[in-house]
Amino acid sequence: MGPVASIQTSPRSLARRVSAPVGLLAAVAGGFGYVGSVDPNHPGHYPVCPFLYLTGWYCPACGGLRSAYAVAHGDLGAALHDNALAVVGYAAAAVLWVLWLSREVRGRPAGPRVPRALWWGVGAVVLVFTVVRNLPFGAFLAP
């Protein structure tokens, strides 16, 4: 008998395999639900960004809560204005979550490793975004 090519599936049940992605989705939905119900545009509900407070510069996350609030209310224009990088991050996280869930449903092993160069690229984009949004010509990126 020759070797049979088969996909190694996890012996775990489907419910157990999808429990982590579904649990994370519930936590994220809860967070977006809270931010969607407590408007960060009104002062006093959330703490001030410590980086902005100490330096006067916008950090890469500044405007992220307002952006999440706008996404929760379906206002993509306001979300992009408040923090365009966060909106890209929300979309990337959603795509990665769908890929994770689909692999778990099919019982496939974890996806490929992310190359180190990609992480450096993401870091460079965040750094450039942070610098540009604090310069006069990048004011359109400021929250």
Side-chain angles (χ1 to χ4, degrees), residues 128 131-142:
V128 168
V131 171
V132 169
R133 76 189 314 207
N134 285 290
L135 295 174
F137 67 86
F140 68 95
L141 292 173

Side-chain angles (χ1 to χ4, degrees), residues 6 93 112:
S6 68

Side-chain angles (χ1 to χ4, degrees), residues 89-142:
Y90 304 149
V95 168
L96 291 173
W97 181 85
V98 168
L99 292 173
W100 178 27
L101 180 66
S102 69
R103 292 188 75 80
E104 291 294 344
V105 166
R106 293 179 293 158
R108 307 293 290 275
R113 298 191 130 212
V114 178
R116 184 174 289 179
L118 181 62
W119 288 116
W120 281 101
V122 168
V125 167
V126 170
L127 180 63
V128 168
F129 175 77
T130 303
V131 171
V132 169
R133 76 189 314 207
N134 285 290
L135 295 174
F137 67 86
F140 68 95
L141 292 173

Side-chain angles (χ1 to χ4, degrees), residues 10-76:
S10 174
R12 300 181 300 161
S13 71
L14 177 63
R16 186 171 172 123
R17 287 193 316 261
V18 300
S19 64
V22 169
L24 180 64
L25 178 64
V28 170
F32 268 84
Y34 178 77
V35 172
S37 65
V38 180
D39 190 353
N41 294 302
H42 297 114
H45 296 293
Y46 298 99
V48 175
C49 172
F51 186 80
L52 178 63
Y53 179 76
L54 293 172
T55 67
W57 283 26
Y58 296 115
C59 77
C62 279
L65 283 174
R66 290 186 296 274
S67 177
Y69 178 83
V71 167
H73 289 270
D75 189 352
L76 187 60

